[in-house]
Amino acid sequence: MSAKGRKGRRNPSQSPDESASSESHNKQQGNADEIEPGMAVEAREGDLGESDVSTARVKDVERNAAGDVTNVVVEKGIVFRKTLEVPAERIDAVDDANGNGNAAESSTPSDDSGENAPASETDEGKVILNTTQQEIRDLSATGSETLDSQQPRDANGNGPGGRKKGKPGGPATNGGTAAKSVEPGDYVRTLGPGVLSGMAGNDSSAVTSYSVNGATNGYGQLWLILLATPLYQAVQYACAKIGRVTQMGLADILRKHYGRKIAIPASLILVVANTALIAADLVAIGTGIQLLTGIAWEWFVVPVAVGLWYLIVYQSFAIIKKIFLAMSLVFVAYLITGVVSGAHWGDVLRATLVPHLSLGFASIASAVALLGATVSPYTMYWQVQGEKEQKRPGTRKQQFKLAALDIAVGTIAGNLVAYAIIVCTAATLFTHHKGIQTAADAAAALAPLLGPYAEQLFAIGFIGSGMIAIPVLLASTSYGLSGLFGWSASLWKKPWQSEGFYLIMTGALVVSLIVALMRFDPIQLMFWANVLQGILAPVLVVFLLLVGNNRKIMRAYRLSPIINIGLALTALIMSAATLLLFYGLLSGGGA
């Protein structure tokens, strides 16, 4: 009997699943015979980087003695390369160079977010693999791997090689309503992007701004920290809500809804400012280690950069998140120095609750630096993307509440650190009329006033702040540029899945490392970076207002009136402060 005649009959000793598998094998073998090297490869479920800078392609086709295809070798990536050996049984569909084939029999492949991925238009044709999302997620970051000949059961309990019709494979998407209800432990487990953005906001430039503010103005601008806390909460919550509803990054949103004329300048300003801040942070980390060891900071910059790069690129984001959340405990050092600084707490409380601001240039510049260090564009890009990727249980409303808690913890903890730094430097350096230019100067100046442990605690906090900030700065830089090109951008994905994203991140770190080693004045780098951040921040806040209240984009989840008021106040205050700063510079007041 011919193969064609055998195709529709089932051996009585076979189970229905085995029979279906046998029939599927015959069909798939016919598909596999049409495969040629160079064809694009996509996954039926899961993400092989279909929207990335590089495309997964057939590298080689292995055949048996009879000429039948046994395995297909798939390769993805140019720099971050991944090789996958796929048995012929796992070929779901094949389109030849003219678009002929049976790929149309199945639905369009989907990525991890549950959104349909665009089909690759290639001259060589296209191969679609029968995979599950979890199976693709479990692939390693490097090396060669082989898929099993039979598809494992997916998250919905569907058997090998099959899916329930009308029901998407894999877990619920981040933006959708998950079936799992919220449990008490979820309030801790879902802490992530909000806490990290709050901690990362205290990078070396921010710590320097807070230190100089306390040494220059005493307790006079503590009330700005109190004011900035709900404003920052409003900004980050708006970012989170927009990211969860749209399932898009901020650069993607700007490009899609407001055009490249808006998205390109915003992304370029972000990239330049972030590069300067990363370079300054690398110098700051090295300087902090120098304060502890007495060895020149230049010896530490390259090892720190390489270590952070390896961690970000090759470790899963779940591990990275735990590491950096644990590292955020170093900020306790600042709280301790604030407590032991000998501050007059009655004066501290009065300065916190009663606003006072001199209209002199130095005072305005300090206020701008403080607000700019608190509400930063890079944390906005990070928060939108981070919430898009963060998996939260419960209904949409419950997910928003979890996001709000995450952000509140990060905002309050981050601003409490800033508050402690200002109190410490105000109680010591301002009282003793000691001028400083950097946080490292502040650490060194604390030793004769509070003892050597104060210097060491301050230096430890300085190191930790840079370690946490650099990954967030790198990721937000890459989010900004990847969004312009429409590339896949995710810290949750492997480097070969989002190669463009990781290549941008690598390039930004290399440029920043070169700038750091060229011994540019870190104070100048931080100053001009914060000037650029001050220009971009209020513009982005205005766009958050526009996007967050756009019925077409947000549907039934537009921003609430209280969040809108917070955004409007943030945009007005930051715009006014930035204009006053530039007026001072142009009139010679900044000399």
Side-chain angles (χ1 to χ4, degrees):
M1 185 180 292
S2 67
K4 184 176 180 180
R6 291 194 303 267
K7 190 174 182 180
R9 300 180 59 182
R10 179 168 69 87
N11 188 322
S13 64
Q14 288 181 315
S15 67
D17 280 350
E18 289 173 332
S19 176
S21 177
S22 176
E23 293 176 11
S24 176
H25 171 74
N26 291 332
K27 178 181 177 181
Q28 289 161 347
Q29 183 61 60
N31 294 343
D33 287 339
E34 303 169 8
I35 299 174
E36 298 291 341
M39 283 184 165
V41 180
E42 295 181 0
R44 173 63 58 200
E45 293 180 9
D47 180 23
L48 290 177
E50 286 86 349
S51 59
D52 192 23
V53 63
S54 60
T55 303
R57 292 189 179 277
V58 175
K59 180 183 180 183
D60 192 18
V61 181
E62 300 174 358
R63 300 177 184 271
N64 59 21
D68 295 330
V69 173
T70 57
N71 293 287
V72 176
V73 180
V74 177
E75 190 172 77
K76 168 70 171 69
I78 302 169
V79 176
F80 301 107
R81 192 164 294 179
K82 180 71 176 179
T83 303
L84 194 62
E85 189 167 320
V86 183
E89 292 85 353
R90 302 301 298 276
I91 305 302
D92 193 30
V94 179
D95 271 336
D96 62 22
N98 298 316
N100 301 317
N102 53 15
E105 293 177 9
S106 302
S107 60
T108 305
S110 62
D111 61 15
D112 284 345
S113 67
E115 297 175 346
N116 287 337
S120 298
E121 298 295 336
T122 65
D123 294 335
E124 296 85 1
K126 180 175 63 177
V127 178
I128 298 176
L129 308 182
N130 188 7
T131 58
T132 65
Q133 292 184 7
Q134 189 61 49
E135 187 178 23
I136 298 301
R137 288 196 196 102
D138 289 341
L139 294 175
S140 63
T142 58
S144 301
E145 291 184 74
T146 302
L147 289 183
D148 292 334
S149 58
Q150 283 194 334
Q151 183 187 50
R153 292 185 179 274
D154 62 19
N156 294 317
N158 301 318
R163 291 183 300 166
K164 296 177 182 178
K165 291 184 179 181
K167 188 174 182 180
T173 64
N174 295 344
T177 300
K180 180 180 178 295
S181 60
V182 178
E183 299 175 358
D186 292 324
Y187 290 98
V188 175
R189 283 191 291 270
T190 58
L191 294 179
V195 172
L196 286 176
S197 64
M199 293 293 106
N202 291 326
D203 71 318
S204 63
S205 70
V207 174
T208 294
S209 296
Y210 302 142
S211 301
V212 173
N213 190 295
T216 305
N217 302 294
Y219 307 131
Q221 294 187 357
L222 283 174
W223 63 275
L224 282 173
I225 295 292
L226 185 63
L227 173 66
T229 300
L231 297 183
Y232 186 48
Q233 172 77 15
V235 170
Q236 294 302 96
Y237 179 75
C239 290
K241 194 168 186 178
I242 288 170
R244 182 154 296 276
V245 172
T246 65
Q247 285 296 289
M248 297 171 67
L250 188 53
D252 297 286
I253 294 170
L254 294 178
R255 174 176 55 85
K256 181 176 180 179
H257 296 285
Y258 298 97
R260 292 184 180 272
K261 290 183 179 179
I262 297 296
I264 290 176
S267 294
L268 291 180
I269 291 173
L270 178 79
V271 168
V272 174
N274 283 5
T275 301
L277 286 176
I278 295 167
D281 280 335
L282 287 171
V283 175
I285 293 171
T287 303
I289 300 175
Q290 179 178 328
L291 287 171
L292 297 177
T293 64
I295 302 172
W297 64 266
E298 293 89 345
W299 290 101
F300 303 106
V301 172
V302 173
V304 166
V306 171
L308 287 173
W309 176 84
Y310 178 81
L311 186 66
I312 298 167
V313 173
Y314 289 110
Q315 294 299 315
S316 72
F317 184 66
I319 294 175
I320 294 172
K321 186 174 72 171
K322 290 177 182 177
I323 291 173
F324 289 113
L325 285 175
M327 283 181 60
S328 65
L329 294 175
V330 301
F331 287 114
V332 172
Y334 288 133
L335 301 180
I336 294 173
T337 55
V339 170
V340 303
S341 63
H344 297 287
W345 294 103
D347 295 339
V348 170
L349 183 61
R350 186 162 44 253
T352 303
L353 300 176
V354 181
H356 172 74
L357 181 63
S358 169
L359 294 180
F361 177 79
S363 181
I364 292 294
S366 293
V368 171
L370 190 151
L371 289 171
T374 305
V375 184
S376 301
Y378 69 86
T379 60
M380 298 183 209
Y381 276 82
W382 165 271
Q383 190 67 53
V384 174
Q385 187 77 27
E387 190 62 32
K388 169 183 175 289
E389 298 179 33
Q390 180 69 34
K391 295 174 177 61
R392 300 193 190 277
T395 63
R396 183 64 66 87
K397 187 175 181 180
Q398 290 171 322
Q399 291 169 354
F400 290 151
K401 288 182 178 179
L402 289 172
L405 175 65
D406 182 18
I407 293 165
V409 172
T411 299
I412 294 171
N415 281 6
L416 188 60
V417 169
Y419 190 87
I421 294 172
I422 294 175
V423 168
C424 176
T425 53
T428 53
L429 306 182
F430 179 77
T431 301
H432 291 82
H433 307 289
K434 287 183 176 290
I436 62 170
Q437 285 189 301
T438 68
D441 293 341
L446 288 174
L449 301 174
L450 300 178
Y453 291 113
E455 177 186 7
Q456 293 167 9
L457 285 171
F458 213 85
I460 290 170
F462 204 37
I463 295 166
S465 66
M467 290 284 198
I468 296 173
I470 287 176
V472 175
L473 284 161
L474 285 171
S476 64
T477 301
S478 199
Y479 290 147
L481 286 184
S482 298
L484 285 181
F485 302 127
W487 294 343
S488 170
S490 174
L491 282 171
W492 288 95
K493 293 180 181 178
K494 310 294 192 306
W496 54 268
Q497 290 175 302
S498 289
E499 187 173 34
F501 171 76
Y502 283 99
L503 285 175
I504 292 172
M505 189 182 294
T506 302
L509 183 58
V510 170
V511 172
S512 299
L513 182 59
I514 292 172
V515 171
L517 293 174
M518 289 178 70
R519 292 178 170 271
F520 283 104
D521 184 352
I523 301 302
Q524 289 294 319
L525 285 175
M526 287 187 284
F527 173 77
W528 289 109
N530 281 320
V531 167
L532 290 173
Q533 301 265 12
I535 294 171
L536 183 57
V539 175
L540 289 180
V541 172
V542 170
F543 277 111
L544 291 179
L545 266 170
L546 296 175
V547 172
N549 291 283
N550 189 314
R551 188 184 298 273
K552 182 179 178 182
I553 299 173
M554 299 295 289
R555 302 185 297 279
Y557 301 104
R558 288 175 294 168
L559 300 178
S560 66
I562 192 168
I563 297 298
N564 284 325
I565 291 171
L567 293 177
L569 283 174
T570 303
L572 288 172
I573 292 171
M574 295 198 71
S575 298
T578 303
L579 289 173
L580 286 171
L581 174 63
F582 278 103
Y583 173 78
L585 289 172
L586 294 174
S587 63

